[in-house]
Amino acid sequence: MNLHEYQAKLRFAEFGIPVPRGKVAFNANEAYEIAKELGGVTVVKAQVHAGGRGKAGGVKVAKTPEDAREHASKILGMNIKGHTVNKVLVDPGANIKGEIYLAVTNDRAARKPLIMASAEGGMDIEEVNRVSPEKIVRVHVDPLIGLRGYQITELASGINLPHDLWKQFEKIAMGLYNCYVGSDATLCEINPLAVVEEYGQTILKALDGKMTIDGNGLGRHPELETLRDTSEEPQEEITARESDLSYVKLDGQIGCMVNGAGLAMATMDMTAHFGEQYGIGPANFLDVGGGADPDQVAAALRIILSDKNVKAILINIFGGITRCDDVARGIITAMSEVPTQLPIIVRLIGTNQEEGLAIINSANLTNMTGAKTLYEAAQKAVEAVRGAK
Amino acid sequence: MNLHEYQAKLRFAEFGIPVPRGKVAFNANEAYEIAKELGGVTVVKAQVHAGGRGKAGGVKVAKTPEDAREHASKILGMNIKGHTVNKVLVDPGANIKGEIYLAVTNDRAARKPLIMASAEGGMDIEEVNRVSPEKIVRVHVDPLIGLRGYQITELASGINLPHDLWKQFEKIAMGLYNCYVGSDATLCEINPLAVVEEYGQTILKALDGKMTIDGNGLGRHPELETLRDTSEEPQEEITARESDLSYVKLDGQIGCMVNGAGLAMATMDMTAHFGEQYGIGPANFLDVGGGADPDQVAAALRIILSDKNVKAILINIFGGITRCDDVARGIITAMSEVPTQLPIIVRLIGTNQEEGLAIINSANLTNMTGAKTLYEAAQKAVEAVRGAK
Amino acid sequence: MAILIDKNTKLVVQGITGKQGRFHAQQMIEYGTNVVGGVRAGKGGEWVLGKPVFDTVKAAREATGANCSIIYVPAEGAADAILEAVDAEVELIVCITERIPIQDMMKVRAILDHSKSRLLGANCPGLLTPGQSKVGIMPGYIATPGPVGVVSKSGTLTYEAVYALTQRGIGQTTCVGIGGDPINGTSFLDVLQMFEEDPNTEKVVLIGEIGGTDEQKAADFIDKHMTKPVVAFIAGQRAPEGKTMGHAGALVEGNVGTAAEKIEKLKSVGVKVAAYPEQIPDLIMQ
Amino acid sequence: MAILIDKNTKLVVQGITGKQGRFHAQQMIEYGTNVVGGVRAGKGGEWVLGKPVFDTVKAAREATGANCSIIYVPAEGAADAILEAVDAEVELIVCITERIPIQDMMKVRAILDHSKSRLLGANCPGLLTPGQSKVGIMPGYIATPGPVGVVSKSGTLTYEAVYALTQRGIGQTTCVGIGGDPINGTSFLDVLQMFEEDPNTEKVVLIGEIGGTDEQKAADFIDKHMTKPVVAFIAGQRAPEGKTMGHAGALVEGNVGTAAEKIEKLKSVGVKVAAYPEQIPDLIMQ
């Protein structure tokens, strides 16, 4: 689960990391009021789950509260990589003397948390990594021991941070690691961690923030679950999560319902394999879980049908411990609850697969066809979409 | 550093362990008022840093507030193993159905925390360990991982705790471990962890508590440092701690001042070796630290002289990195600040030992004698005490 | 011969009194697995499916000599259950539970590295040595004894592949599901090494998916150390970047972990890569 | 020949810019120890006593090839300093710092158990191989090369014993102070084993004290594995129960760790036990 910049920065602040005292506005007038209250120069920033906000014009500096209102009115409603902006963060301007990059993430290959710093903050870190990877200092953390002071020294020394900022940097790095652990995060990133002049002092401040939370860890952090911005997610994905289904919306025409993540991906791949030449492909990834019981199948059907692009449905179920005839009866039951006229191709494999297919066929649902192999099922689904066009 | 029962129980409560709602009284009237407020039967318990309170008559059940006053007046001022009781805890009585033992401590040999439980609570656990060690269930905890639920199950299962109490037991065991870690304790003990009937419920409650804190960890817990009861410690030990000296009062007549803990023990042993037949022995253990600078020596002298049993002083210094002539000058300086007529035997060994002894001898302090070996110094100190008798 | 489990495996079921645990314990017993007992704190002394239940894995191991454990406990208690089995020095620990927080698994891995135990999973279907022992949730009937070793990140996709092999008369030595979590106990590389060393395994099927670099590491291992032919299938060729496809680990991050990258790497070291699961038996028979 | 350190030892000083660190670094350099640099976060790039200072042990090790480090940092940062040296894979880490909380040391020990490093101390005087290298705070002049290995829990008591040997013309291979904390890095047993294996060590002096059971374990080791004669001295025969005698570890708990028990055990395996430190040379010469 991704947090918005303003949410991440509020969370950082809880772990002792200095952040600007900006606020969120949902309309241009609110932005004006916040900018007036902050005084001086402000920055209006789109709060949206998409990268490249700056390039897309989603971040603007405002010299006056009136400027802030104008910028906000332009940014709100903007579409950035398919996401509509419906709130902006109005932050005070900062007198920036330097920009650092600092992040904690999971290193999947090393199986450990990784803390990274670079003197090349403020830039796209992927780009820094591509062009000059040596400019990113990387330190692995033993998850049983946690981040230690000497590891922070290694970062500070590695990025040639001026000595007078080390104490602040240590506090921020430790705070970020604690935030990462204390939030079951998979990423906590500050970019830039800016060196700013404020009231004659040189201080480090997190001007931007990014956090991703491990969905499996959310149960331990109910306060984070409330930060979920459902306006950022397709309605189908929200419904799927509520029904405990794993669903990802794609842009094709074949609605797929499969038990098992690997088999679901293979099914997607197969429909694309045959459909590609006709501009036909999978409408979604959907893992209905191991048992494929009637309630789950019905919920899955509803989600698939809510996608208006869908022109055909492919059901691919491996009857493992469950028998295929039971699964087939479950599908027929679900069908009666969620009626549709779209062509449905059902492929059942495993225990009692013949009996299962017989049940499907004998249900006399004219829009439903059986298939014996994934190969055949995918072909039939592509044909069905072509016929419907 | 030891905590009193009432202090330990308050600390336990902070970690979610149920304890009785008693209060501390410093005089008999306060005990009466507390007992009246609690209502019903109460228990009056001496708060003193000594074991065997019960056998010594320091714990009494009171049926009425008047009883509590009477018991308190008898217990206050009582001497238990050399400790004067100056406060009592008045706890509500409990309807006890069973008594468990539960403790977390450092296992020095295993180099790990050890959590122990026994169904034979309420008794002297050393005695249980001697007679039937198999009745104590022991589980080592990995300090990097901490106590895990299954380890608590091992304890609960091992002491045959009724299943309906497991949840409470888990919470208490986890709380006790957290208390141990969160207090830099070397011991957290509940004996008894009682099974009590209260308002028709069966609950586990810590009726007694014992905690010892690692002095080296106190710096991280300023809130615990304030719990130190200096009325329980010999004044000399308090003064020594304030001067950063390591001092333990003993009951002999030879005041020892030595640099280094091992050498200080060896010096004690040597005086006892020669003095034993005459009832003469060391008055103290005192480690003056590595350098033996004049301020430390002076502070040490003051502490030694405050012990009225002392009839002679033995100074044994190994000049390591420091030269013996410098140490000798330091001793002479300290002597002038803390004048005494008691016989003083000085043994200096190491770099420039001859020069050092020459300085001691040439100081013309009539009560001061040099010695070349520890053997000789101890003999002379014993002779000096015999002469003074 | 087989790898990891065989007819001598003595299995203890952690969470045997739960719905899942009890159901699959029954299935495993029916398959012929030597289930020697179960574990559930607070149920020690009871009996389930004719097997004794213990309060702790340690007690179960002491009483039964179990050398393998399988975990069917909910995600919030699963890391603890794994550590309990590690602490009891169980040799092979199979964790079926899905949705274990990744930070828990990082800690578990750090502890496993210095332990005497091997973990398979979490979030895996377990493993099966046809005709001898099944530990996990794989349907037993899909497999038959033979010379092909199967290792996979996916559940039903493995069944599909194994069933396809069986239908074509190609049996298996052992079928191993390593699970689809980003941080797990046993990697492709570990299992490939075991198959390479197993005298009865002649060929190997590897079923991978998008996310991470395990398949690439497997390819390096195949290149340097394997003499036996390997056939692979990689799921998720059409998966979009930045979306988790069911398995927590099935996630293309930036351009790391794409199916195309994995397929190319495997092909470059001589691995035959199937275009779809049903093609696997054809490639094995070539 | 010697144990643990010799003229090839390359030493880095953690905390070289502090008062203690600088003073003893100077002493060590004067003795002839090959001090290759120092460490102090924030002072990297400076020079102290003609030696380069680094921000981290890792950087120091990379630049100088140091294989040994000595720690003179205050108690609150000492555990971190040890872990830093472990992380940098320094082979021998000597920690002089006293008053490290025992729970910190339990964690350090758990980490050391799976590391490539050996820790001596904490709260120890370090060690000295006469004429070759001194790492720690022992006065150099008290020792002279020869055939006796010395291992001790105590500082000045060791000096006393070593000086007594030297005065009587008996030299030492290496003098090792393991420190007086209840939980430390290197035990009597570890050092006895090294002396047993060192061809130049002919006899061994062991100086113990009250508290714990290390001396008893040493006695068992001497009984089973040592061919070389051992002379011992145990301090604290008159120590009362329940009182800490200076060293955190010097504490008789119940009747565990008394000097009488230790002396009896050592005598029972043929160790000659001195009645006072100055008797040690006599027993060595017997």
Side-chain angles (χ1 to χ4, degrees):
Chain A
M1 185 182 92
N2 292 317
L3 300 194
H4 284 299
E5 176 195 356
Y6 75 95
Q7 295 169 325
K9 278 151 80 175
L10 280 175
R11 187 81 177 167
F12 291 168
E14 288 173 34
F15 288 88
I17 298 170
V19 299
R21 60 202 164 86
K23 283 183 186 166
V24 170
F26 292 85
N27 60 52
N29 272 337
E30 282 177 14
Y32 169 84
E33 293 296 337
I34 295 166
K36 208 170 127 189
E37 190 191 323
L38 292 172
V41 175
T42 56
V43 191
V44 183
K45 307 171 89 175
Q47 298 297 290
V48 69
H49 289 166
R53 288 178 310 176
K55 282 181 194 158
V59 179
K60 296 275 184 203
V61 175
K63 289 190 177 162
T64 63
E66 289 73 18
D67 278 4
R69 171 157 49 201
E70 206 185 312
H71 290 321
S73 73
K74 279 182 190 152
I75 293 171
L76 288 161
M78 191 181 263
N79 185 306
I80 300 179
K81 293 188 183 168
H83 296 252
T84 304
V85 180
N86 54 36
K87 48 191 164 286
V88 292
L89 171 63
V90 184
D91 256 356
N95 183 8
I96 301 173
K97 299 293 177 188
E99 295 187 317
I100 297 163
Y101 174 89
L102 182 67
V104 188
T105 186
N106 305 331
D107 184 340
R108 185 168 167 170
R111 295 162 165 138
K112 282 177 181 164
L114 173 68
I115 182 160
M116 294 181 285
S118 173
E120 310 273 317
M123 309 191 28
D124 178 2
I125 200 70
E126 303 276 349
E127 186 60 18
V128 175
N129 189 34
R130 206 180 55 76
V131 179
S132 35
E134 78 287 353
K135 287 189 176 162
I136 304 175
V137 183
R138 295 167 174 83
V139 175
H140 283 105
V141 181
D142 184 323
L144 299 179
I145 306 175
L147 182 65
R148 307 292 304 200
Y150 68 86
Q151 298 179 307
I152 301 175
T153 301
E154 210 174 316
L155 296 173
S157 174
I159 64 169
N160 289 314
L161 188 71
H163 284 161
D164 56 325
L165 296 173
W166 280 30
K167 278 226 156 128
Q168 293 181 51
F169 183 76
E170 176 165 2
K171 191 164 166 260
I172 291 168
M174 201 54 93
L176 198 67
Y177 183 80
N178 291 338
C179 178
Y180 160 87
V181 171
S183 313
D184 265 297
T186 56
L187 174 71
C188 286
E189 183 185 83
I190 306 177
N191 190 18
L193 174 62
V195 184
V196 301
E197 295 282 348
E198 236 178 57
Y199 308 109
Q201 305 268 318
T202 304
I203 63 160
L204 292 175
K205 202 173 244 192
L207 295 194
D208 201 349
K210 201 168 164 183
M211 272 183 78
T212 310
I213 312 295
D214 175 7
N216 294 342
L218 269 177
R220 302 196 272 222
H221 309 284
E223 77 283 11
L224 290 174
E225 178 62 52
T226 63
L227 299 182
R228 188 187 290 281
D229 186 350
T230 49
S231 72
E232 287 276 350
E233 298 175 64
Q235 184 55 45
E236 298 90 334
E237 294 189 12
I238 299 167
T239 313
R241 194 174 48 243
E242 285 164 3
S243 306
D244 223 15
L245 297 168
S246 188
Y247 173 91
V248 177
K249 190 168 166 13
L250 302 170
D251 52 10
Q253 306 83 357
I254 301 172
C256 298
M257 185 197 309
V258 190
N259 68 334
L263 193 57
M265 281 189 270
T267 305
M268 274 167 48
D269 292 349
M270 206 67 197
T271 58
H273 177 76
F274 288 115
E276 205 154 39
Q277 53 185 315
Y278 312 112
I280 294 169
N284 60 273
F285 166 94
L286 196 159
D287 175 5
V288 78
D293 80 304
D295 285 352
Q296 293 280 86
V297 173
L301 265 179
R302 278 191 203 97
I303 291 164
I304 289 172
L305 292 172
S306 71
D307 177 355
K308 295 307 161 202
N309 287 339
V310 169
K311 298 286 179 290
I313 297 172
L314 195 169
I315 301 179
N316 184 17
I317 304 286
F318 191 100
I321 299 288
T322 332
R323 297 181 319 186
C324 284
D325 47 343
D326 286 343
V327 175
R329 274 184 285 268
I331 292 171
I332 302 297
T333 308
M335 288 295 170
S336 66
E337 286 175 28
V338 190
T340 175
Q341 290 311 310
L342 290 179
I344 301 178
I345 293 86
V346 180
R347 182 225 177 194
L348 283 173
I349 180 167
T351 337
N352 297 2
Q353 62 188 48
E354 301 302 334
E355 294 86 331
L357 281 177
I359 288 168
I360 297 289
N361 291 330
S362 67
N364 283 326
L365 293 168
T366 52
N367 60 333
M368 202 180 267
T369 324
K372 287 199 170 175
T373 63
L374 172 54
Y375 192 93
E376 182 193 339
Q379 268 185 328
K380 283 188 173 173
V382 170
E383 289 310 314
V385 175
R386 290 185 71 200
K389 270 193 173 167
Chain B
M1 186 183 91
N2 293 316
L3 300 194
H4 283 297
E5 175 195 359
Y6 76 95
Q7 295 170 325
K9 279 151 82 175
L10 280 174
R11 186 81 178 170
F12 291 168
E14 287 173 33
F15 288 88
I17 298 169
V19 297
R21 58 199 164 87
K23 282 182 187 167
V24 171
F26 292 83
N27 60 51
N29 270 339
E30 281 175 17
Y32 169 84
E33 292 297 337
I34 296 165
K36 207 170 131 190
E37 190 191 325
L38 291 172
V41 174
T42 56
V43 189
V44 183
K45 307 170 88 177
Q47 299 296 289
V48 70
H49 289 166
R53 290 178 306 176
K55 282 181 193 157
V59 178
K60 296 274 183 203
V61 175
K63 289 191 176 161
T64 64
E66 289 73 19
D67 278 3
R69 172 158 46 201
E70 206 186 310
H71 290 323
S73 72
K74 279 182 190 153
I75 293 171
L76 287 162
M78 190 181 262
N79 186 306
I80 300 179
K81 293 188 182 169
H83 295 252
T84 305
V85 180
N86 54 35
K87 47 191 166 285
V88 293
L89 171 64
V90 184
D91 256 356
N95 184 7
I96 301 172
K97 300 292 178 188
E99 296 186 318
I100 295 163
Y101 174 89
L102 182 67
V104 187
T105 187
N106 305 331
D107 184 339
R108 185 169 168 169
R111 295 163 165 137
K112 281 177 180 165
L114 173 68
I115 183 161
M116 295 181 286
S118 173
E120 309 274 318
M123 308 187 31
D124 177 4
I125 200 70
E126 302 276 349
E127 186 60 18
V128 174
N129 188 35
R130 206 180 56 78
V131 179
S132 37
E134 77 287 353
K135 286 190 175 162
I136 304 175
V137 184
R138 294 168 175 82
V139 175
H140 282 104
V141 181
D142 184 323
L144 299 179
I145 306 174
L147 182 65
R148 307 292 305 198
Y150 68 85
Q151 297 179 308
I152 301 175
T153 301
E154 210 175 315
L155 295 174
S157 174
I159 64 169
N160 290 313
L161 188 72
H163 284 162
D164 56 326
L165 296 174
W166 281 30
K167 277 227 156 129
Q168 293 181 51
F169 182 76
E170 176 165 2
K171 194 165 163 262
I172 291 168
M174 202 54 95
L176 198 67
Y177 184 79
N178 290 339
C179 179
Y180 160 86
V181 171
S183 312
D184 266 298
T186 55
L187 173 72
C188 286
E189 182 186 82
I190 306 177
N191 190 18
L193 176 62
V195 183
V196 300
E197 295 282 349
E198 235 177 57
Y199 309 110
Q201 307 268 319
T202 304
I203 64 160
L204 292 176
K205 202 173 246 191
L207 295 195
D208 200 349
K210 199 169 166 184
M211 272 182 79
T212 309
I213 312 295
D214 175 7
N216 294 342
L218 268 177
R220 303 196 273 222
H221 310 283
E223 77 283 12
L224 290 175
E225 178 62 50
T226 63
L227 298 182
R228 187 188 291 280
D229 187 349
T230 49
S231 72
E232 287 277 351
E233 299 175 64
Q235 184 56 44
E236 297 91 334
E237 295 190 12
I238 299 167
T239 312
R241 193 171 52 242
E242 285 164 4
S243 306
D244 224 16
L245 296 169
S246 189
Y247 173 91
V248 176
K249 189 166 165 17
L250 302 171
D251 53 9
Q253 306 82 355
I254 301 172
C256 299
M257 185 196 310
V258 190
N259 68 335
L263 192 57
M265 281 189 270
T267 306
M268 273 166 49
D269 292 348
M270 206 66 198
T271 56
H273 177 76
F274 289 114
E276 205 155 37
Q277 52 184 316
Y278 313 111
I280 295 170
N284 60 272
F285 166 94
L286 197 160
D287 175 5
V288 77
D293 79 305
D295 285 353
Q296 292 280 88
V297 172
L301 265 181
R302 278 191 203 95
I303 291 163
I304 289 172
L305 291 174
S306 70
D307 177 355
K308 295 307 163 203
N309 287 339
V310 170
K311 297 286 179 286
I313 298 172
L314 195 171
I315 301 178
N316 184 16
I317 304 286
F318 190 99
I321 299 287
T322 329
R323 295 182 319 187
C324 284
D325 47 344
D326 286 343
V327 174
R329 274 184 285 267
I331 292 171
I332 300 298
T333 307
M335 287 295 167
S336 67
E337 285 174 29
V338 190
T340 174
Q341 289 312 312
L342 290 179
I344 302 177
I345 293 87
V346 181
R347 183 223 176 197
L348 283 173
I349 182 168
T351 334
N352 297 2
Q353 62 189 46
E354 302 303 334
E355 292 87 332
L357 281 177
I359 289 168
I360 297 289
N361 291 331
S362 67
N364 284 326
L365 294 168
T366 50
N367 61 332
M368 201 181 268
T369 323
K372 287 196 172 179
T373 63
L374 173 54
Y375 191 94
E376 182 193 338
Q379 267 184 327
K380 283 188 174 174
V382 170
E383 288 311 314
V385 174
R386 290 184 70 199
K389 267 190 174 168
Chain C
M1 288 290 287
I3 66 166
L4 291 165
I5 58 167
D6 59 24
K7 60 185 187 309
N8 298 316
T9 300
K10 289 180 171 182
L11 181 71
V12 63
V13 180
Q14 291 180 251
I16 197 168
T17 59
K19 193 183 157 199
Q20 283 277 312
R22 189 188 175 100
F23 175 78
H24 287 291
Q26 174 93 48
Q27 295 277 328
M28 289 188 283
I29 292 166
E30 284 172 11
Y31 191 77
T33 305
N34 185 13
V35 175
V36 293
V39 172
R40 174 71 167 95
K43 304 274 186 187
E46 297 185 8
W47 291 73
V48 168
L49 305 170
K51 309 292 177 185
V53 179
F54 301 87
D55 280 323
T56 62
V57 176
K58 201 174 179 183
R61 184 164 159 84
E62 277 166 10
T64 67
N67 56 5
C68 184
S69 98
I70 184 151
I71 296 173
Y72 297 100
V73 305
E76 58 270 26
D80 209 55
I82 296 170
L83 294 185
E84 178 174 2
V86 171
D87 208 354
E89 300 189 353
V90 172
E91 286 144 57
L92 177 65
I93 303 161
V94 180
C95 184
I96 304 302
T97 311
E98 57 181 353
R99 301 195 183 172
I100 302 178
I102 194 165
Q103 294 199 4
D104 285 5
M105 284 309 296
M106 288 195 287
K107 285 188 187 158
V108 165
R109 270 302 306 216
I111 293 160
L112 273 171
D113 287 345
H114 301 299
S115 79
K116 295 174 181 165
S117 302
R118 166 174 295 288
L119 171 69
L120 186 68
N123 191 17
C124 81
L127 72 173
L128 192 155
T129 292
Q132 298 194 50
S133 185
K134 124 173 166 150
V135 175
I137 60 173
M138 285 191 192
Y141 73 89
I142 62 169
T144 192
V148 176
V150 179
V151 58
S152 169
K153 273 186 181 173
S154 160
T156 45
L157 190 50
T158 315
Y159 310 165
E160 177 96 33
V162 171
Y163 195 51
L165 289 170
T166 297
Q167 296 285 77
R168 300 280 285 276
I170 307 166
Q172 306 88 36
T173 46
T174 302
C175 308
V176 184
I178 62 169
D181 273 357
I183 291 180
N184 60 13
T186 295
S187 67
F188 278 135
L189 209 147
D190 300 324
V191 182
L192 288 177
Q193 185 156 9
M194 290 180 234
F195 280 139
E196 175 67 17
E197 288 166 8
D198 174 43
N200 284 37
T201 300
E202 292 168 16
K203 297 184 177 185
V204 177
V205 172
L206 179 150
I207 299 170
E209 62 190 25
I210 54 165
T213 55
D214 277 4
E215 289 81 355
Q216 295 88 315
K217 285 181 194 156
D220 283 332
F221 179 82
I222 291 166
D223 192 27
K224 287 191 193 131
H225 304 290
M226 282 197 76
T227 59
K228 301 175 181 177
V230 179
V231 169
F233 175 76
I234 304 293
Q237 298 175 46
R238 310 294 165 151
E241 188 197 323
K243 286 283 189 180
T244 303
M245 308 304 273
H247 288 159
L251 170 65
V252 176
E253 294 160 291
N255 49 14
V256 175
T258 65
E261 178 198 359
K262 296 182 184 215
I263 290 168
E264 193 187 337
K265 176 88 187 182
L266 286 162
K267 282 186 172 167
S268 76
V269 299
V271 172
K272 291 174 194 157
V273 181
Y276 51 96
E278 289 144 339
Q279 201 186 12
I280 292 171
D282 299 333
L283 298 181
I284 280 288
M285 287 200 290
Q286 273 180 14
Chain D
M1 287 289 288
I3 66 166
L4 292 164
I5 58 167
D6 58 25
K7 61 184 187 305
N8 299 314
T9 299
K10 289 179 171 184
L11 181 71
V12 63
V13 180
Q14 292 180 250
I16 197 170
T17 60
K19 192 184 157 201
Q20 282 278 309
R22 190 189 175 99
F23 175 77
H24 287 290
Q26 173 91 50
Q27 295 277 329
M28 289 188 283
I29 291 167
E30 283 171 11
Y31 191 78
T33 306
N34 185 12
V35 175
V36 295
V39 172
R40 174 69 168 95
K43 305 273 185 188
E46 298 185 7
W47 292 74
V48 167
L49 304 172
K51 308 293 176 186
V53 179
F54 302 88
D55 281 324
T56 62
V57 176
K58 202 174 180 180
R61 184 164 159 82
E62 278 165 10
T64 66
N67 57 6
C68 184
S69 97
I70 183 149
I71 297 173
Y72 296 99
V73 304
E76 57 271 26
D80 209 55
I82 297 171
L83 294 183
E84 176 174 4
V86 171
D87 208 353
E89 300 188 355
V90 172
E91 287 142 57
L92 176 64
I93 303 160
V94 180
C95 185
I96 304 301
T97 311
E98 56 181 353
R99 302 197 183 170
I100 303 178
I102 194 165
Q103 294 200 5
D104 285 5
M105 284 309 296
M106 288 195 287
K107 286 187 185 160
V108 166
R109 271 303 306 217
I111 293 160
L112 273 171
D113 287 346
H114 301 300
S115 79
K116 296 174 182 163
S117 302
R118 165 175 296 287
L119 171 69
L120 185 68
N123 191 16
C124 80
L127 72 171
L128 192 154
T129 292
Q132 299 194 47
S133 184
K134 124 173 168 150
V135 175
I137 60 173
M138 284 190 194
Y141 74 88
I142 62 169
T144 192
V148 176
V150 178
V151 57
S152 168
K153 273 186 181 174
S154 160
T156 44
L157 191 49
T158 314
Y159 309 165
E160 177 96 32
V162 171
Y163 195 52
L165 289 170
T166 297
Q167 296 286 77
R168 301 276 286 273
I170 307 166
Q172 307 89 36
T173 46
T174 303
C175 308
V176 184
I178 63 170
D181 273 358
I183 292 179
N184 61 11
T186 295
S187 66
F188 278 134
L189 208 147
D190 300 324
V191 181
L192 287 178
Q193 185 155 11
M194 290 180 235
F195 279 137
E196 175 67 16
E197 287 166 8
D198 174 43
N200 284 39
T201 300
E202 292 168 17
K203 296 185 177 183
V204 177
V205 171
L206 180 152
I207 299 171
E209 62 189 27
I210 54 164
T213 54
D214 278 4
E215 289 82 355
Q216 295 87 317
K217 285 181 194 156
D220 283 332
F221 179 82
I222 290 165
D223 192 27
K224 287 189 194 132
H225 304 292
M226 281 196 77
T227 58
K228 301 177 182 177
V230 179
V231 169
F233 175 76
I234 304 293
Q237 297 176 45
R238 310 295 164 148
E241 188 196 322
K243 286 284 188 179
T244 302
M245 307 305 273
H247 289 157
L251 170 64
V252 176
E253 295 161 292
N255 48 13
V256 176
T258 63
E261 179 198 359
K262 295 181 184 214
I263 290 169
E264 192 187 339
K265 177 88 187 183
L266 285 162
K267 282 187 173 167
S268 77
V269 300
V271 172
K272 289 174 197 156
V273 181
Y276 52 95
E278 289 143 340
Q279 201 185 13
I280 293 171
D282 299 333
L283 297 181
I284 280 287
M285 287 200 290
Q286 272 178 14

